[in-house]
Amino acid sequence: MRKIFWKNVVIAGLLAALSLTGSMATDVKADCKNELYTYQSSKDGNFNTTDWRAKDHGGSEIPKGYVYAIASEGQASSIMIRKHTSNNRNVEASNGFVTVPYLTHSCIRNNFVANSDKEVRLRVRINANSGITSGFWSPDTSQSYPYVVG
């Protein structure tokens, strides 16, 4: 019972921190709204995907060039970024699956091109054969976090 209580306290604290960082980034036009992603091996199979989201990538500008993610429950997340191009192709935009460690704010490198690509989404799994992971992500990040993957 105690373990569940502290787990809920940690998750509530993370949600509060995420909402504060999102509200302080008023000068960034990027879509920094954090949405939940989930993966459960027994239900989702090899991976789970998120909905497509528009990306406001400012060329090589940092931090908008990164996709943001944080694993907040279960195991570390293994994430691949996919992009939807202007010619309706669904192609990989990251360097394969990259690991987003548990409770670590992470920037994920990607090759999104503002003039020709439309939106991005995640493919989520874990590196182990079974288990769960979940966390939050946005197609753009409000700041440049020290942990960069991809």
Side-chain angles (χ1 to χ4, degrees):
M1 190 64 106
R2 239 182 181 172
K3 189 175 183 179
I4 293 171
F5 171 77
W6 285 111
K7 182 178 179 182
N8 288 336
V9 167
V10 169
I11 290 173
L14 282 171
L15 290 174
L18 290 173
S19 66
L20 287 175
T21 47
S23 65
M24 291 188 307
T26 55
D27 61 331
V28 178
K29 295 179 185 174
D31 181 5
C32 297
K33 180 183 174 213
N34 295 311
E35 289 186 2
L36 180 69
Y37 67 81
T38 63
Y39 171 78
Q40 183 176 355
S41 61
S42 62
K43 184 180 85 169
D44 297 323
N46 291 334
F47 60 86
N48 193 13
T49 57
T50 63
D51 291 332
W52 289 105
R53 293 185 59 194
K55 183 167 174 54
D56 184 15
H57 181 271
S60 62
E61 292 176 33
I62 303 298
K64 290 196 296 183
Y66 293 130
V67 169
Y68 164 80
I70 182 172
S72 62
E73 183 179 17
Q75 301 179 37
S77 300
S78 185
I79 293 175
M80 175 192 289
I81 300 170
R82 303 288 293 180
K83 65 182 178 181
H84 192 198
T85 63
S86 59
N87 58 359
N88 291 324
R89 292 184 55 221
N90 174 1
V91 297
E92 186 177 327
S94 59
N95 189 16
F97 279 93
V98 296
T99 300
V100 172
Y102 181 67
L103 297 180
T104 302
H105 296 274
S106 301
C107 294
I108 305 172
R109 289 185 185 101
N110 60 93
N111 63 11
F112 187 89
V113 179
N115 296 334
S116 62
D117 299 331
K118 298 195 285 188
E119 50 198 358
V120 294
R121 74 176 178 190
L122 303 183
R123 281 190 178 179
V124 182
R125 67 179 190 187
I126 53 176
N127 291 330
N129 290 333
S130 64
I132 64 166
T133 190
S134 65
F136 295 91
W137 80 286
S138 67
D140 298 294
T141 183
S142 62
Q143 59 185 305
S144 186
Y145 293 102
Y147 194 78
V148 180
V149 294

